[in-house]
Amino acid sequence: MRKTTAVEALGARGDGIAHVDGKPLFVPGVAPGDQLTIENGKVLEVAPGPQRVAARCPHYEQCGGCSLQHISDDTFAQWLSVPIERALAQHGLSAPVRTPHVSPPKTRRRCVLSARWVGRDVLVGFSAERSHAITDVRDCAILLPAL
């Protein structure tokens, strides 16, 4: 039986959280507000919600370097604040948490790259998510161009 539900929030690893029949469903690559069509526990269709944006990087679908380019900067900053607020609350503390700074494109200074010999050449790039495959990223939308 097909059901429709909305993504309510992002989990700690960036997966969208929706509920089906009262049970949580964790879905990668979705944004809060996206509408999911689900059948037998599988997502058949995702209708974009207001917090979804187009990814800046043409390698986004293949590369494992950035997992949340599909959400707005405001949503991303809010998601970053949640663990800080939760940690304070666990210790009975309350303090204003400033909105985290979201780096503009082409300014990131750190990354973890993978490399592998391919014949006489070396392939350098990001490991695809949950894979040993390397995505050859010659132009990254996030990193400083010099890197």
Side-chain angles (χ1 to χ4, degrees):
M1 183 166 138
R2 284 189 181 194
K3 298 182 179 192
T4 303
T5 187
V7 176
E8 301 161 17
L10 293 175
R13 302 186 89 187
D15 289 352
I17 303 171
H19 285 85
V20 179
D21 299 327
K23 297 178 183 173
L25 176 66
F26 296 89
V27 183
V30 297
D34 286 358
Q35 295 292 315
L36 309 177
T37 302
I38 301 165
E39 187 171 32
N40 298 326
K42 293 189 177 188
V43 177
L44 302 177
E45 185 179 342
V46 177
Q51 295 179 46
R52 176 178 285 279
V53 297
R56 292 179 178 119
C57 182
H59 307 290
Y60 176 68
E61 294 293 326
Q62 301 85 33
C63 175
C66 305
S67 60
L68 293 172
Q69 282 191 26
H70 65 283
I71 62 173
S72 69
D73 285 349
D74 290 341
T75 301
F76 182 65
Q78 181 182 0
W79 176 74
L80 288 172
S81 298
V82 170
I84 298 165
E85 293 166 350
R86 188 175 294 138
L88 289 170
Q90 286 175 342
H91 295 282
L93 301 172
S94 177
V97 176
R98 292 188 317 190
T99 303
H101 171 74
V102 177
S103 299
K106 303 277 187 186
T107 61
R108 189 167 180 178
R109 298 174 305 196
R110 295 180 302 153
C111 69
V112 176
L113 297 170
S114 298
R116 181 176 53 219
W117 285 101
V118 179
R120 292 181 164 201
D121 296 324
V122 176
L123 177 62
V124 178
F126 292 102
S127 294
E129 186 175 358
R130 298 180 184 153
S131 171
H132 294 292
I134 296 176
T135 303
D136 185 3
V137 180
R138 295 183 190 276
D139 183 31
C140 179
I142 305 300
L143 287 176
L144 280 170
L147 294 175

